[in-house]
Amino acid sequence: MEHSTNASGSGQEETVVSPTGHSEEFAQQRVSNPTKEAWVLDSLKKRRTEFLHKQQIRAFVGTWNVNGKAPPADLGQLTAWLGFVPDNEAELDKLPELVVLGFQELDVRAEAFVYNNSVKDMEWTEAVERSMGGAKQKLVKVASKQLIGMFIMVYVRTDMVDVVTDVKMASVGCGIMGMVGNKGAVAVRLTFRDTPMCFVCAHLAHDGAQVERRNAQFHDLSRRLTFAGSAADADPLTPSADVVGSGATEADRMHSVFDHSYVVWFGDLNYRLAIDTGDMDEILARGEHRSLLGLDQLQIVRMNKQAFAGFEEGHIDFAPTYKYIVGTSDYDVRRRPAWCDRVLWWTRPGCEDGVQSEAYESVDSVCTSDHKPVRAQLGLDVWRVDVEQRRAVFLEVLRELDRYENECIPTANVEATTVDFGDVYFGRAVRRQLRVGNSGQVPLEYGFVATPNRAAVAPGWLRITPEHGMLLPGQHVDVELVISVDERTSAPLSTRQEDLDDILVLHLTRGRDYFIQVHGAYQVSVYGMSLDVLVHCKGAVRNMTRADFEQCLRSGQFSVPRSMWLLIDFLSRYGVDRGLTLFNYSGDSVLGRRIREWLDTDQPLDPGTILQWPEGGDAQGSSRMSLTDQTLVASAISDIDVLAPSTAEALEQLSLGTWTPTPMRAESDSESEPDLEPDSHRHLSSGQAAEAIAGRAAHDAGVDTVASCLVELLRALPSPLIPTALYTACIEAGGHSRAAALEALEVLPPGNLNVLVYLLAFLREAVERGATAAARVARVFAPALLRPPVGHIRVDAEDGYAEMFVLYLLQSHGQI
């Protein structure tokens, strides 16, 4: 995994990842008050064996302030610090599951602060891995992060790599001016099985008198070190996002280091001894260093809850780790000895006793720095959560609580607590009804309510009608639930980051809550999948897992989406080459579904099926115009030179290019009039136009359907091929010139540009060979390529400018 250096540190995570819930927040808001919350948590603790499976792992945590020195030439010193390295290969299976190493003062050069060019991390990484010997073959580095002199590395035993997920990194500087990275922290968070944990390597202010500053830096780092939402719950006892909803907004929420089951905080914390007794040298010479622990500033501030409140530490049975004369194990008498280098941990409520200290020691034989390295071996309890069983137990507990309260309050009869929508496809709405009746003796006011993890009453892909109402005793209402996945909601579903699973909360005023689980099996499709994913996928997306998608995205390779290639290749072979017209008719809906299925399962388009599809084969009979076509015809009739007696003739004239959009321009430009029409169709007389119409009106229902599938594939992109951030610039360019249109695309991402060039090459060929008209291409593809941002206020000439922009692109052969 890549790492980076940052002079100030932003506190923002660096890598990919998923939403974590707050069980306490959920319990407090949905269970109403702390008394009920305590009852729910106590009930879950009693039943935890029904859904929790515990395992203990070992974590090696090492910290060393290297004082700007290079790795020791004698790698035996590093091996001595890494106490887990076995003497022979037979003991390799005894390696800890996690190895976390932290360094401070890795680079103390002035230019490292000024120019942000530290390279010491690679030097130390190579030295550490060489010192591991044969153990390196059993360990995989999953994260590393450097901030000037601070550096953290995390290794996972090879047999445990698959159960470590959601790895993220963050860094924060709190040194000079409270921002520069000479002091601060680097952090890594990960989820081991279903247990999220965070490791923080910190370097706090030096000098014995700055204890208050160190305390303030701890609180500042705790606040500013943040990560994006994680998929795992910090408290394995109680479900959060998986109970209350899809977690769509939870993914955008930033989490602190304390939104984890465990936090291990280590490094050169720089806490010193509070006072100088005057006889410290003698005490240390006699090996009576334990008598000085009562003066340790860190223990004092922990006891007084000024900093590190709630943290624990292993038993200190080693001498102070600072300050030594480099190259020796003798203290520098100019400085007061102190236990500067520490390893502490914090456990979230509900995870008490989940961390055990198995070893905690310094390594006296390592003498290359003025600090002695420190290491700790921790036993960590990790959980594998049976999510479905936990959800079931949680709901049972809530229902039991409800029964105690709902003797004399309004009651409802809810037909079902689970609504299954079956298979759900992109762009196809699936409807179910849920009957709600008033089974009580008083009027009943009901309403679906939002949850702590979501501002809306339902996720974006679910619509509820009606959301609220009132029922008299004995009355009932059929609530319609509709799942509809479109380009606004499809992206996380298409890569299996989310599922069509949610729990709706039906609230009765002055009454109880009903929890209704909705579920659908989303059939992953290239339709509704983001372009960033499409350009990386090589096979059948329907069969891909979440891990498969993540592996594709990590490949760094992209090409034209295979689904687009299949459609365009078919249109070229069986449409353009056969002299058929394109993009004039909407196609057949039944055949369109079959084509989508072929694309989703990576099957070739079957010419035998498509080309033999009967005209008007769908339920719409012979009415083959889409709603978009009908709208376009209505707006274009007045612009056609020859009066068209019918809608069909109007479409034919559009296909011949006799109509061109003429938006108003601020000034004329020699490049402003695209000229892509075939030579044979320019400047036709009325008779010649009629002959051309008859010659080019031939079309095929199957080919029309493939063309429609291509347009809909572009329309279904969650983010359009030309990003919405470029929309305004492209519209303005459409009202100006071809040069302006090309300039607007200069910042187009490489993957988008590659696909756009391929698409334009096909459309340009189709126009030049008479299969369609440039004006028709502009009409059809402008809405698919250009999509206004949310909240955009449209102006009258905007559609015309969009079409001119597409015409300019068609005209710019070899210039994009």
Side-chain angles (χ1 to χ4, degrees):
M1 184 170 295
E2 294 296 330
H3 60 274
S4 60
T5 303
N6 188 329
S8 63
S10 65
Q12 302 300 317
E13 45 84 20
E14 296 273 331
T15 62
V16 177
V17 213
S18 21
T20 272
H22 279 273
S23 58
E24 289 88 350
E25 179 182 359
F26 174 79
Q28 201 164 29
Q29 295 189 36
R30 297 304 322 150
V31 185
S32 303
N33 61 52
T35 301
K36 295 178 182 179
E37 175 189 353
W39 186 89
V40 169
L41 291 177
D42 183 65
S43 299
L44 289 170
K45 285 181 179 178
K46 293 176 181 177
R47 300 181 60 177
R48 66 191 303 168
T49 56
E50 297 181 35
F51 55 83
L52 280 186
H53 306 280
K54 187 172 72 172
Q55 169 193 0
Q56 187 175 78
I57 65 170
R58 290 167 299 147
F60 177 92
V61 181
T63 177
W64 189 10
N65 183 322
V66 299
N67 194 28
K69 301 295 190 298
D74 178 12
L75 294 180
Q77 294 197 51
L78 281 175
T79 303
W81 174 40
L82 305 178
F84 62 84
V85 178
D87 296 329
N88 55 71
E89 293 188 2
E91 298 181 353
L92 287 177
D93 293 336
K94 298 179 181 179
L95 289 172
E97 285 83 350
L98 283 175
V99 174
V100 184
L101 303 177
F103 298 87
Q104 305 83 44
E105 296 190 11
L106 198 72
D107 196 339
V108 295
R109 299 173 300 136
E111 52 266 37
F113 295 88
V114 177
Y115 299 110
N116 186 21
N117 65 347
S118 177
V119 294
K120 297 283 187 79
D121 54 332
M122 296 302 299
E123 181 181 5
W124 275 93
T125 298
E126 292 172 1
V128 166
E129 293 185 352
R130 289 201 308 271
S131 69
M132 289 180 180
K136 177 61 182 71
Q137 305 304 317
K138 293 287 187 177
L139 296 172
V140 176
K141 185 172 73 170
V142 297
S144 64
K145 178 70 176 172
Q146 182 178 7
L147 176 62
I148 307 300
M150 291 165 286
F151 182 45
I152 187 172
M153 298 188 293
V154 178
Y155 292 83
V156 177
R157 207 170 68 193
T158 52
D159 59 326
M160 292 292 167
V161 169
D162 291 341
V163 300
V164 174
T165 58
D166 298 324
V167 181
K168 297 185 178 70
M169 301 171 289
S171 63
V172 165
C174 64
I176 301 171
M177 296 184 294
M179 294 297 292
V180 179
N182 60 316
K183 294 294 187 288
V186 288
V188 173
R189 64 92 52 220
L190 55 86
T191 299
F192 199 108
R193 295 199 185 277
D194 292 310
T195 307
M197 54 189 71
C198 182
F199 298 91
V200 181
C201 172
H203 191 190
L204 305 184
H206 65 282
D207 191 272
Q210 298 203 67
V211 61
E212 292 300 329
R213 186 178 178 191
R214 285 188 282 275
N215 294 345
Q217 287 177 339
F218 164 76
H219 292 292
D220 183 44
L221 294 174
S222 298
R223 176 179 57 85
R224 293 170 57 202
L225 277 171
T226 56
F227 306 89
S230 165
D233 298 319
D235 183 353
L237 270 182
T238 51
S240 52
D242 61 334
V243 168
V244 297
S246 67
T249 57
E250 186 71 13
D252 300 326
R253 181 176 176 271
M254 301 304 293
H255 294 264
S256 78
V257 295
F258 295 107
D259 289 322
H260 298 83
S261 297
Y262 305 131
V263 178
V264 179
W265 196 302
F266 61 102
D268 181 2
L269 307 185
N270 256 324
Y271 284 94
R272 312 300 175 87
L273 297 182
I275 60 173
D276 190 343
T277 62
D279 59 350
M280 288 186 179
D281 293 342
E282 298 178 8
I283 293 174
L284 292 173
R286 296 195 299 268
E288 298 175 356
H289 49 265
R290 284 186 295 273
S291 63
L292 299 175
L293 283 171
L295 302 175
D296 175 48
Q297 291 175 342
L298 181 54
Q299 293 200 10
I300 293 171
V301 299
R302 284 172 54 207
M303 181 176 61
N304 295 331
K305 300 187 184 301
Q306 295 169 300
F308 292 96
F311 276 79
E312 300 178 63
E313 185 178 17
H315 176 65
I316 297 179
D317 195 25
F318 50 88
T321 59
Y322 177 81
K323 176 181 183 177
Y324 288 87
I325 299 173
V326 175
T328 74
S329 291
D330 299 327
Y331 288 103
D332 187 337
V333 296
R334 295 173 298 177
R335 295 288 184 92
R336 186 186 309 168
W339 286 276
C340 292
D341 308 281
R342 312 289 277 270
V343 179
L344 300 93
W345 67 85
W346 172 91
T347 59
R348 185 181 180 88
C351 303
E352 296 89 348
D353 303 322
V355 180
Q356 301 85 39
S357 177
E358 298 178 356
Y360 190 30
E361 55 197 349
S362 67
V363 185
D364 191 62
S365 60
V366 179
C367 305
T368 58
S369 170
D370 56 357
H371 288 252
K372 295 295 183 184
V374 170
R375 64 192 181 201
Q377 183 151 303
L378 306 175
L380 304 178
D381 290 341
V382 296
W383 296 273
R384 181 173 59 82
V385 179
D386 186 333
V387 176
E388 293 299 325
Q389 183 61 23
R390 182 182 62 180
R391 179 188 288 114
V393 171
F394 185 69
L395 293 176
E396 287 178 14
V397 168
L398 290 183
R399 293 187 186 111
E400 184 178 357
L401 176 62
D402 286 339
R403 283 197 296 271
Y404 295 150
E405 297 182 311
N406 291 341
E407 296 296 332
C408 301
I409 59 176
T411 57
N413 179 27
V414 180
E415 183 179 49
T417 57
T418 301
V419 180
D420 191 349
F421 286 79
D423 291 342
V424 177
Y425 295 84
F426 179 87
R428 288 192 236 167
V430 182
R431 290 173 169 80
R432 297 289 187 269
Q433 285 191 338
L434 177 71
R435 175 161 293 189
V436 178
N438 184 349
S439 58
Q441 304 301 313
V442 295
L444 171 68
E445 293 183 52
Y446 70 91
F448 291 88
V449 297
T451 66
N453 288 352
R454 187 183 57 233
V457 301
W461 41 262
L462 180 63
R463 186 173 70 252
I464 305 172
T465 307
E467 289 186 0
H468 53 81
M470 187 185 76
L471 297 172
L472 296 176
Q475 288 184 333
H476 69 267
V477 62
D478 290 324
V479 178
E480 185 178 57
L481 305 177
V482 182
I483 286 184
S484 179
V485 179
D486 57 23
E487 68 275 7
R488 296 169 299 175
T489 57
S490 60
L493 298 169
S494 296
T495 54
R496 304 193 189 275
Q497 301 294 316
E498 295 180 9
D499 297 314
L500 292 178
D501 284 292
D502 197 72
I503 289 187
L504 303 176
V505 181
L506 177 62
H507 176 69
L508 308 185
T509 303
R510 300 181 304 278
R512 60 168 290 185
D513 288 347
Y514 292 83
F515 299 92
I516 301 159
Q517 183 176 358
V518 295
H519 169 75
Y522 183 64
Q523 303 302 300
V524 173
S525 173
V526 296
Y527 287 81
M529 187 170 290
S530 69
L531 187 64
D532 289 341
V533 178
L534 282 173
V535 297
H536 289 88
C537 291
K538 304 298 183 184
V541 298
R542 177 68 54 77
N543 302 325
M544 292 177 66
T545 65
R546 176 176 175 176
D548 293 333
F549 284 112
E550 292 174 349
Q551 183 177 359
C552 284
L553 291 172
R554 287 195 299 267
S555 69
Q557 300 176 351
F558 57 82
S559 60
V560 173
R562 177 168 170 78
S563 51
M564 181 177 293
W565 178 86
L566 287 170
L567 294 171
I568 289 179
D569 180 67
F570 189 95
L571 293 174
S572 296
R573 290 169 179 264
Y574 301 103
V576 176
D577 290 352
R578 296 172 65 210
L580 300 178
T581 60
L582 300 179
F583 308 119
N584 287 338
Y585 300 90
S586 62
D588 184 89
S589 60
V590 176
L591 177 59
R593 291 180 183 180
R594 185 174 299 185
I595 292 173
R596 287 190 182 191
E597 191 70 16
W598 288 337
L599 297 177
D600 295 340
T601 55
D602 196 35
Q603 298 181 52
L605 305 188
D606 180 15
T609 299
I610 295 174
L611 299 179
Q612 295 178 18
W613 199 262
E615 178 78 19
D618 62 359
Q620 297 178 8
S622 61
S623 178
R624 303 197 39 80
M625 277 203 307
S626 67
L627 293 177
T628 302
D629 285 335
Q630 296 170 29
T631 303
L632 294 177
V633 170
S635 64
I637 289 294
S638 61
D639 295 316
I640 299 176
D641 293 335
V642 181
L643 179 63
S646 68
T647 298
E649 290 185 19
L651 276 176
E652 289 172 347
Q653 289 191 28
L654 284 175
S655 70
L656 286 172
T658 57
W659 177 89
T660 56
T662 55
M664 295 180 63
R665 288 177 172 72
E667 57 184 358
S668 63
D669 192 296
S670 60
E671 298 177 331
S672 62
E673 294 298 333
D675 189 10
L676 282 174
E677 300 307 322
D679 292 335
S680 60
H681 295 153
R682 296 182 192 141
H683 312 299
L684 299 179
S685 66
S686 299
Q688 291 171 327
E691 293 176 2
I693 291 172
R696 292 181 53 192
H699 72 95
D700 180 272
V703 174
D704 292 337
T705 305
V706 176
S708 295
C709 288
L710 173 62
V711 177
E712 291 306 316
L713 180 66
L714 294 170
R715 288 179 178 271
L717 292 173
S719 178
L721 184 55
I722 299 176
T724 54
L726 302 180
Y727 179 79
T728 301
C730 294
I731 293 299
E732 292 175 353
H736 191 256
S737 67
R738 182 176 62 180
L742 295 176
E743 183 179 355
L745 294 181
E746 288 181 353
V747 295
L748 196 65
N752 298 54
L753 181 61
N754 190 37
V755 176
L756 180 61
V757 170
Y758 178 73
L759 175 65
L760 289 173
F762 162 68
L763 295 177
R764 192 176 294 113
E765 180 186 8
V767 170
E768 291 173 350
R769 296 179 61 183
T772 187
R776 181 60 177 169
V777 170
R779 275 273 173 117
V780 172
F781 283 87
L785 297 177
L786 293 172
R787 194 180 306 163
V790 177
H792 176 76
I793 300 175
R794 301 179 65 89
V795 297
D796 292 341
E798 200 162 295
D799 291 341
Y801 289 148
E803 292 167 17
M804 287 302 301
F805 178 81
V806 175
L807 288 172
Y808 286 142
L809 298 185
L810 287 172
Q811 188 184 31
S812 304
H813 180 61
Q815 295 178 283
I816 301 180

